[in-house]
Amino acid sequence: MSNLHVLDLLFIAVYFGILFGIAWWAARREKAVSSDYFLASRDVAWFAVGASLFASNIGSEHLVGLAGSGAATGLAVGHFEWLACLILLLLGWLFVPYYLKSGVYTMPEFLEKRYNSASRTYFTWVSVIGYVLTKISVTLYAGGVVIRAVTGWDFYTAAIVLIVVTGLYTIFGGLRAVVYTEVLQAIVLILGSAVLMIIGLSRVGGIAGLQAKVPEGFFSMWKPSSHPDFPWTGIIFGAPILGIWYWCTDQHIVQRVLAAKNIKQARTGTIFAGYLKILPVFIFVLPGIVAMALFSDVSQNPDSAYPTLVTRLLPEGIKGLVLAGMLAALMSSLASAFNACSTLLTWDVYRKMRPAATEQQLVKVGRISAGVMVFLGLAWIPFMKFISSQIYIYLQSVQAYIAPPIAACFLLGLFYRRLNGSGAISSLLTGLVLGLLRLILELTNKASGGGLAPGTLWHWIATINFLHYAVLLFVICTFVLFIVSMMTPPPPLEKTEGLTYKKTDVTEGETPRERKFEVGLSVVLVALLGVLWIVFA
């Protein structure tokens, strides 16, 4: 608290005041029915869908990680943000019609409708375990680093307060509270980070001054195929695979789309989120480069770039606005993870065991599940001091390695009716084994200082760029999916009818004028991205 001026505290107090007001409003509207608690009665409009998609994605680890990568290697990490714009269009134009028409509450439920219950069970538990080990823990760790650096608060006290506050409105307000608080959080996050970027650029002499002070190539996004982190081959072929898994199949993202009023509102929301995803390169990555140019010690610890800018650059009062943005990033990610886990545990575990459960019982279990997630978050805090930030990177990579088979099953399952449940579960398990193999070998090789003998298969698996490995995994899992499906009986009609691609499904229920408007927005977004990639080539 000693690091903050009274104006800073005022900004933070206003943020929390509005946040509590929105959460209270949402809790008052919440009914004891499952569609309201888990999907906000499916009446969320496009603006809230888009803002919520953006806020759910941008967590405190983005503030640390994107700025840190910017400080270390330049703008290249921004590829993931701009590729997300295109993947969001894929979500809106390809996946949304089938998700909404199927009436599902969760992504594992859709996988069961298309394939079988084994696929649903696998995806449910992979998602829940992944959220606990990565999304919740990484958000807490990165948030603690930023908050401690900026405010001087005791990390454990701040984390406990934030978890409890976030948990309360998630438990009692359901998805409605999460979505509408995320609208506020998206606005605060963008505003705070934009102010930081503007002040930073003014101090460094603008874009021209910044380019003169950073290593050559920092503003070039396209790197050679041998680049250790962002090879162009991995960006073009590997990153979209991970993007399809994250943006089109991950529960904590897609749940916002499932809550939309209709296909049109959902699709317009994804297009809006696509435009918002252009911003992180400028308001997160670019400030990291500014920090490296202004403060020489940042190059020794790139992950300190964002908090360094906040603590050393911002005047009194403005720091509170940026800190409110950091808190918004932290709380939106936590709320999304809590709510997604709650929905999965209730809908894909409890309801599957008790199909006759009443609406009131489902809502009750949903609240209990969210409470359990809050408890696990609190219980995790004391163990953070034993875990290095590098371990968190490895835990995150687990999901990157299991993403290709999930992306293959969802994407190809929409187009090929012959693919069946046996092929899907075989593909998913193959991907899991090969993904864990990569993770274990990578950890072993780095822990032993490169102990795996060069030239061996094991060393190659441990050291190949993870985006290239994702491409390899996708190819192998696709092969398994097709071969096993062709060697086993075809799926029954109910597994494909209404769940596989038809051109008329994409624009069903929309007028030609509405379609032209959405197509126009999408074309402009793609063109804008093309221009940006050319400018920063």
Side-chain angles (χ1 to χ4, degrees):
M1 298 288 286
S2 58
N3 291 355
L4 299 179
H5 187 267
V6 65
L7 289 176
D8 299 321
L9 296 174
L10 180 61
F11 270 118
I12 296 171
V14 169
Y15 163 70
F16 274 105
I18 299 175
L19 184 77
F20 285 131
I22 295 173
W24 178 81
W25 167 82
R28 284 283 302 268
R29 289 193 61 186
E30 201 262 305
K31 307 177 186 71
V33 292
S34 57
S35 63
D36 191 84
Y37 187 79
F38 297 112
L39 293 180
S41 294
R42 297 188 190 263
D43 67 352
V44 178
W46 66 268
F47 183 86
V49 170
S52 182
L53 284 169
F54 179 79
S56 298
N57 166 241
I58 301 297
S60 51
E61 72 276 13
H62 277 73
L63 304 183
V64 174
L66 287 179
S69 292
T73 60
L75 290 180
V77 69
H79 275 303
F80 294 98
E81 302 304 304
W82 288 349
L83 277 171
C85 304
L86 302 179
I87 303 300
L88 279 161
L89 294 181
L90 189 68
L91 170 62
W93 285 102
L94 178 62
F95 289 93
V96 158
Y98 301 98
Y99 289 162
L100 294 189
K101 286 176 64 178
S102 67
V104 298
Y105 278 59
T106 69
M107 290 298 92
E109 184 183 7
F110 183 83
L111 211 56
E112 181 180 40
K113 280 180 175 284
R114 177 59 183 87
Y115 293 114
N116 56 19
S117 59
S119 302
R120 179 180 186 173
T121 300
Y122 168 88
F123 195 24
T124 298
W125 287 109
V126 162
S127 299
V128 170
I129 294 171
Y131 291 151
V132 173
L133 291 181
T134 59
K135 286 189 182 0
I136 294 175
S137 57
V138 170
T139 298
L140 285 175
Y141 181 88
V145 169
V146 173
I147 292 173
R148 181 172 52 200
V150 173
T151 68
W153 292 347
D154 174 73
F155 165 64
Y156 298 107
T157 302
I160 289 171
V161 170
L162 288 171
I163 289 175
V164 171
V165 170
T166 306
L168 284 175
Y169 72 75
T170 305
I171 292 170
F172 293 105
L175 185 63
R176 188 186 308 279
V178 173
V179 166
Y180 286 105
T181 54
E182 284 176 340
V183 173
L184 166 69
Q185 289 160 340
I187 295 170
V188 173
L189 177 60
I190 292 171
L191 184 60
S193 298
V195 168
L196 182 63
M197 175 196 69
I198 292 169
I199 293 176
L201 282 177
S202 67
R203 282 286 299 272
V204 82
I207 294 293
L210 180 59
Q211 286 181 304
K213 295 181 180 180
V214 299
E216 185 179 356
F218 254 51
F219 277 77
S220 175
M221 296 186 72
W222 296 100
K223 305 298 183 183
S225 59
S226 58
H227 193 274
D229 299 313
F230 310 110
W232 71 265
T233 46
I235 292 297
I236 291 178
F237 300 108
I241 295 171
L242 305 185
I244 290 172
W245 158 74
Y246 180 82
W247 289 103
C248 301
T249 74
D250 195 355
Q251 179 67 24
H252 102 286
I253 290 293
V254 181
Q255 195 164 345
R256 282 106 191 95
V257 172
L258 299 180
K261 289 181 179 179
N262 50 45
I263 293 175
K264 179 183 181 302
Q265 294 290 321
R267 181 176 297 137
T268 306
T270 62
I271 296 171
F272 176 47
Y275 279 94
L276 291 179
K277 283 297 288 179
I278 293 175
L279 298 177
V281 172
F282 301 105
I283 62 177
F284 300 138
V285 182
L286 197 59
I289 301 176
V290 170
M292 196 277 293
L294 288 177
F295 308 108
S296 58
D297 55 319
V298 167
S299 60
Q300 307 299 318
N301 180 21
D303 282 348
S304 68
Y306 199 91
T308 296
L309 277 184
V310 176
T311 54
R312 300 187 192 178
L313 199 64
L314 293 182
E316 294 176 343
I318 300 298
K319 187 187 296 185
L321 174 62
V322 178
L323 180 56
M326 296 180 189
L327 295 173
L330 172 60
M331 297 174 74
S332 62
S333 292
L334 279 179
S336 297
F338 291 156
N339 188 257
C341 283
S342 168
T343 306
L344 291 169
L345 291 173
T346 303
W347 210 255
D348 294 310
V349 179
Y350 178 79
R351 187 172 178 271
K352 198 167 177 60
M353 293 189 300
R354 302 243 180 125
T358 65
E359 292 287 308
Q360 290 76 15
Q361 287 174 324
L362 291 174
V363 172
K364 182 179 179 180
V365 171
R367 287 181 171 145
I368 292 173
S369 300
V372 170
M373 291 302 107
V374 172
F375 174 78
L376 289 176
L378 292 170
W380 187 258
I381 292 174
F383 297 98
M384 287 185 176
K385 60 185 177 183
F386 301 112
I387 301 176
S388 70
S389 60
Q390 202 65 26
I391 293 297
Y392 281 91
I393 295 173
Y394 292 140
L395 287 173
Q396 283 284 68
S397 69
V398 172
Q399 292 190 340
Y401 298 145
I402 62 175
I406 295 170
C409 288
F410 273 88
L411 181 62
L412 301 176
L414 281 182
F415 290 102
Y416 298 98
R417 291 173 173 260
R418 186 60 179 79
L419 301 180
N420 62 20
S422 298
I425 192 63
S426 300
S427 177
L428 291 170
L429 292 176
T430 299
L432 177 65
V433 170
L434 293 178
L436 289 175
L437 174 65
R438 156 69 188 226
L439 181 68
I440 292 169
L441 290 176
E442 183 182 5
L443 285 170
T444 302
N445 189 55
K446 290 192 175 183
S448 60
L452 296 177
T456 63
L457 174 64
W458 309 123
H459 181 268
W460 180 80
I461 293 176
T463 56
I464 183 176
N465 179 271
F466 82 99
L467 291 173
H468 290 158
Y469 193 73
V471 177
L472 176 63
L473 262 184
F474 186 81
V475 171
I476 293 173
C477 293
T478 297
F479 180 79
V480 171
L481 176 60
F482 272 90
I483 293 300
V484 175
S485 293
M486 299 306 167
M487 294 175 62
T488 50
L493 185 62
E494 64 266 19
K495 294 293 182 184
T496 58
E497 193 61 34
L499 299 171
T500 49
Y501 181 78
K502 288 182 183 177
K503 188 176 181 180
T504 54
D505 291 336
V506 176
T507 56
E508 184 180 356
E510 291 185 291
T511 65
R513 185 174 181 179
E514 289 172 336
R515 286 199 297 273
K516 286 181 181 178
F517 178 70
E518 292 169 350
V519 170
L521 285 176
S522 301
V523 170
V524 171
L525 176 57
V526 173
L528 180 58
L529 288 170
V531 170
L532 287 171
W533 266 313
I534 291 173
V535 169
F536 293 105

